Amino acid sequence: MLIKNAFVIFKDKIEKTDVLVKNGRIADIGGNLTDDEVLDLEGKYLAPGFIDIHNHGGYGYDYMDNTVEAFENILRFHSDNGITSAVASTVTAPRETVEKTLAVAREVIAKKGAHAKLLGVHLEGPYLSFQNKGAHAPAYLKIPAQDDYQYILDNADIIRQITLSPELDGSVELTRKLVEKGVVVSLGHDNAILPEILPVVNAGASNLTHIFCAMSMVVMKNNKRYVGLREYGLIDDALSAEVIADNHHITPELLKMIYKCKGGDGMCLISDCLRAGGMKADGTLYSLGKKDDPTSQQFKVADGVAVLADGKTYAGSIQPISQMLRNVVFDGGVPLIEAIKMVTSTPARIIKADKYIGSIEVGKCADFCVLDKDLRVEKTIIEGKIIKQ
Ligand SMILES: [Zn+2]
């Protein structure tokens, strides 16, 4: 297939040119290419397919419903919103539930479905701080030094990322073991101060889970002022940052500050989307994590964000990253080319998948998102196949 007349969004420029797709890969880029099958984009943007490395659900499903059907519906929600690859996030839950999620994810990855590609799993917990647990069920929080985490190491081939809190006993050792196995260690849901953060960063932690949300900040202790993960994360270039750019969790002013410190290469947008994504906001109560589990946290949708039943604590977002891209450009004033990095090349690099996805280059997967002038998703193309139009 030859994709013609597109404003192609490359990493360093936007240029009107054509892209040739063969066997699911980008075969050539340029002006004098031909093919029997032509897709004329009539001056629309051709961006790399979006990548969401932190999300929990959509279309009424949560990955932790633990069925192939749930995964497929969530991945359809994603591809309907311009996402071509996603990582499935868990919440803290009984170990058997998490192990089941890993097993279903393994099945879905092997099956290769008709929607967004599943790249693996992000374990959000169980090694999170009680003080900054956010919407995670407190009953299942654990401390690495007191827990048998062999099941995590055994599934390292499909676990792309784990969120842990640096100050917990055993976090440094666990970080070292996970990094050795290629798992990205992302810091967050923490209550740490700098002396507790540095050893985990030195052990190889490389990402920050939704910066500013459920994250430590500057405190006075023993007559000394210590920075927390929010401030340290902004200044250390070794740490990339996830951002829930839904204009609620992160307002445009905060977004501007994070962008000033991290740039498009140092921050990625995540939806953190819950099962209510793509559903009506009619006051319905939804469960976080496994459906019908009496111990799971309940939330509802109000004013474009998910809140716990108490009406105060944010439970996650309901906006896909395609909407967040528009928030970042139109409300945050970020140049389009930098904002596109935050949903393509940067998340690909964070989870170490940038060899084959995340940018429009010859040899990479033919994964694209077609955008109109208002940056609304018109088409999603996965490995050369038009999934949504
Ligand atoms: Zn999350």
Side-chain angles (χ1 to χ4, degrees):
M1 177 171 66
L2 182 64
I3 306 175
K4 278 185 82 76
N5 297 319
F7 280 97
V8 180
I9 306 178
F10 297 102
K11 270 202 265 188
D12 54 349
K13 63 183 174 191
I14 299 177
E15 191 178 77
K16 195 165 189 193
T17 188
D18 304 338
V19 176
L20 182 66
V21 173
K22 284 244 179 289
N23 303 320
R25 298 269 166 165
I26 299 170
D28 209 345
I29 300 168
N32 292 314
L33 305 169
T34 53
D35 196 69
D36 296 341
E37 194 193 345
V38 172
L39 175 66
D40 190 340
L41 290 189
E42 299 165 333
K44 299 204 169 93
Y45 289 119
L46 184 72
F50 298 164
I51 302 163
D52 191 351
I53 62 169
H54 183 162
N55 67 91
H56 299 269
Y59 284 165
Y61 294 87
D62 189 298
Y63 292 112
M64 297 192 87
D65 292 339
N66 287 340
T67 61
V68 171
E69 183 200 357
F71 273 68
E72 282 177 349
N73 276 285
I74 300 165
L75 295 168
R76 181 168 61 86
F77 168 70
H78 283 313
S79 46
D80 282 351
N81 286 287
I83 289 152
T84 53
S85 296
V87 176
S89 296
T90 60
V91 291
T92 56
R95 175 184 297 193
E96 312 81 70
T97 307
V98 177
E99 283 183 305
K100 182 82 194 349
T101 310
L102 288 164
V104 179
R106 195 175 282 287
E107 200 180 324
V108 172
I109 293 167
K111 200 172 152 198
K112 248 190 153 205
H115 307 292
K117 295 181 271 191
L118 184 68
L119 300 180
V121 177
H122 158 225
L123 294 184
E124 194 164 8
Y127 311 114
L128 309 178
S129 127
F130 185 82
Q131 289 89 342
N132 259 331
K133 61 189 181 306
H136 292 268
Y140 309 112
L141 297 174
K142 295 257 159 53
I143 293 169
Q146 298 164 15
D147 193 37
D148 176 14
Y149 48 67
Q150 191 57 43
Y151 74 103
I152 297 179
L153 299 174
D154 290 344
N155 281 289
D157 60 322
I158 60 158
I159 298 175
R160 287 276 178 169
Q161 173 159 282
I162 179 167
T163 294
L164 59 80
S165 182
E167 78 280 9
L168 300 177
D169 191 12
S171 279
V172 177
E173 198 190 335
L174 176 58
T175 298
R176 210 172 286 122
K177 285 182 179 165
L178 287 165
V179 169
E180 209 169 86
K181 287 195 167 264
V183 177
V184 175
V185 173
S186 188
L187 307 178
H189 283 285
D190 75 306
N191 195 34
I193 55 172
L194 189 63
E196 295 161 329
I197 295 167
L198 291 177
V200 181
V201 174
N202 290 335
S206 57
N207 193 39
L208 298 162
T209 298
H210 43 56
I211 191 167
F212 275 88
C213 304
M215 182 173 274
S216 59
M217 63 187 288
V218 65
V219 285
M220 279 295 274
K221 235 180 187 174
N222 309 324
N223 237 0
K224 208 177 157 200
R225 183 159 279 136
Y226 291 96
V227 298
L229 207 44
R230 296 185 202 200
E231 298 82 14
Y232 186 71
L234 289 176
I235 58 166
D236 188 344
D237 292 340
L239 295 169
S240 49
E242 298 177 354
V243 181
I244 309 175
D246 65 351
N247 285 355
H248 294 276
H249 288 77
I250 297 295
T251 56
E253 296 72 30
L254 271 176
L255 188 277
K256 284 177 192 180
M257 183 175 81
I258 299 165
Y259 176 60
K260 217 165 198 175
C261 295
K262 308 303 279 183
D265 289 313
M267 61 193 280
C268 80
L269 308 189
I270 55 156
S271 73
D272 205 4
C273 193
L274 305 179
R275 70 166 79 240
M279 306 294 280
K280 282 201 194 94
D282 55 5
T284 305
L285 274 182
Y286 295 94
S287 59
L288 190 67
K290 202 172 179 347
K291 211 176 220 162
D292 308 325
D293 176 349
T295 65
S296 81
Q297 301 270 71
Q298 300 288 302
F299 71 92
K300 60 186 176 191
V301 175
D303 286 334
V305 67
V307 290
L308 290 185
D310 67 7
K312 288 183 280 195
T313 309
Y314 283 163
S317 121
I318 48 151
Q319 297 181 16
I321 56 174
S322 53
Q323 176 57 43
M324 295 183 180
L325 174 79
R326 302 179 78 247
N327 299 342
V328 165
V329 172
F330 299 130
D331 303 321
V334 173
L336 177 60
I337 203 160
E338 290 295 305
I340 289 287
K341 285 182 190 174
M342 298 175 192
V343 294
T344 59
S345 57
T346 304
R349 207 181 56 252
I350 290 172
I351 55 152
K352 303 188 177 100
D354 52 324
K355 268 206 186 95
Y356 57 99
I357 55 171
S359 58
I360 299 181
E361 290 175 78
V362 172
K364 286 201 176 177
C365 289
D367 294 350
F368 308 104
C369 177
V370 177
L371 298 165
D372 67 13
K373 286 277 170 278
D374 294 323
L375 307 182
R376 292 191 194 280
V377 176
E378 283 230 338
K379 282 186 177 61
T380 307
I381 301 171
I382 301 180
E383 298 193 0
K385 280 194 205 82
I386 300 172
I387 301 297
K388 169 217 153 91
Q389 22 198 351

